[in-house]
Amino acid sequence: MAQVGTQGCTLLLAGCGKMGGAMLDGWLTAGIASSVAVVEPSGLPESLRGNPAVILASGPDSVPAEFTPDVVVLAVKPQVMDSVLPAYRALVRPGTVFLSVAAGKTIASFESALGEGAAIVRSMPNTPAAIGRGMTVAVGNPVVTEVQKSLCDSLLRAVGDVAWVEDESLLDPVTAVSGSGPAYVFLLVEAMAKAGEAAGLPAELAMRLARATVAGAGELLHQSPIAAADLRKAVTSPNGTTQAALDVLMAGDGMQPLFDRAVAAAANRSRELAK
């Protein structure tokens, strides 16, 4: 087994779809993984074929016996997780931590399938991880050591920012805010473009303006240490055009109560799916 640290660990990746593939690209680019065994029935993405650090396996039982992973990353779809997990129970050992990036699957469900002695980290990334700008929140069970937590943190940071919580129940609102959040932003772009059309803009120009404005504002927010509320105030002149729009959006029946209901609905659904 490799010396566990932020460089040169051995990984087994179960599932190499969009999220798994994006994370694997990040790990290889950052030099975190020295060797990776990938269990993916549909084969490797084109970008990973021929990479000497990557081994393709049809299942965990076909991984070379001498390959003992420091981390088993579970990136299969949540709806098939229960059916594939039992095959990974043979990999449970003190030196291995299981890192899940599957939505809605609780630590208890992993412990049931893998055994209570398994070190398990449950995480909730979001789709901007595909471009290295993800936001992930993670929580570990009591078996996870500080070294294993640090290793999982390094793996997750290869595709964006990471926050850790002690209370697993927080992952339901986390899912509602950041996990589902990119869809809200895309909807905002759609809504802005449609409003622009209604105000008289050609459809193509309205969409171009909406996309560029949201992307640019997001990058400004990313690069600036200034609070979002202060950035908003900085572009709002008293009695100006922006203020006229914000008077509507920030009214008692405007965006905030709508977002409150939307996030609550998503969090409730996350709880239901975890049962």
Side-chain angles (χ1 to χ4, degrees):
M1 181 175 294
Q3 179 64 39
V4 180
T6 58
Q7 301 290 322
C9 69
T10 58
L11 306 174
L12 191 154
L13 174 62
C16 197
K18 290 183 178 180
M19 181 63 72
M23 298 183 84
L24 180 53
D25 280 338
W27 301 332
L28 294 172
T29 300
I32 294 173
S34 60
S35 59
V36 183
V38 177
V39 177
E40 176 51 66
S42 62
L44 293 172
E46 185 66 33
S47 62
L48 295 172
R49 294 173 190 171
N51 190 317
V54 179
I55 303 167
L56 179 63
S58 59
D61 55 348
S62 65
V63 175
E66 65 274 13
F67 189 92
T68 53
D70 299 311
V71 188
V72 176
V73 182
L74 302 167
V76 300
K77 294 180 179 179
Q79 56 266 37
V80 301
M81 184 70 79
D82 291 342
S83 63
V84 304
L85 265 182
Y88 290 87
R89 188 164 186 148
L91 297 177
V92 175
R93 53 176 64 87
T96 299
V97 58
F98 289 77
L99 170 61
S100 169
V101 297
K105 290 298 178 181
T106 64
I107 288 176
S109 69
F110 290 114
E111 290 174 339
S112 176
L114 299 172
E116 293 185 359
I120 298 163
V121 171
R122 177 188 172 191
S123 70
M124 183 66 235
N126 61 9
T127 54
I131 58 168
R133 292 286 295 274
M135 180 67 227
T136 303
V137 178
V139 59
N141 72 352
V143 183
V144 177
T145 67
E146 285 301 315
V147 170
Q148 290 173 330
K149 179 179 177 181
S150 177
L151 177 53
C152 289
D153 188 84
S154 296
L155 293 173
L156 296 172
R157 285 189 188 279
V159 292
D161 198 7
V162 183
W164 289 80
V165 295
E166 298 295 327
D167 182 357
E168 186 184 3
S169 69
L170 292 178
L171 263 64
D172 294 314
V174 162
T175 299
V177 174
S178 64
S180 301
Y184 314 157
V185 177
F186 302 147
L187 177 60
L188 174 63
V189 171
E190 293 179 74
M192 286 175 64
K194 288 179 180 177
E197 284 186 65
L201 289 173
E204 183 178 351
L205 178 58
M207 178 56 73
R208 181 179 176 185
L209 294 176
R211 287 179 67 114
T213 299
V214 171
E219 186 60 27
L220 178 60
L221 188 65
H222 175 69
Q223 294 190 21
S224 175
I226 301 172
D230 291 332
L231 287 172
R232 169 178 55 78
K233 293 172 184 176
V235 297
T236 306
S237 300
N239 300 315
T241 58
T242 306
Q243 185 63 61
L246 290 177
D247 285 344
V248 176
L249 295 173
M250 299 177 70
D253 59 349
M255 284 185 65
Q256 192 59 59
L258 187 62
F259 264 94
D260 289 346
R261 296 198 303 273
V263 169
N268 288 335
R269 183 57 178 154
S270 178
R271 295 183 190 99
E272 291 170 359
L273 293 174
K275 292 179 181 178

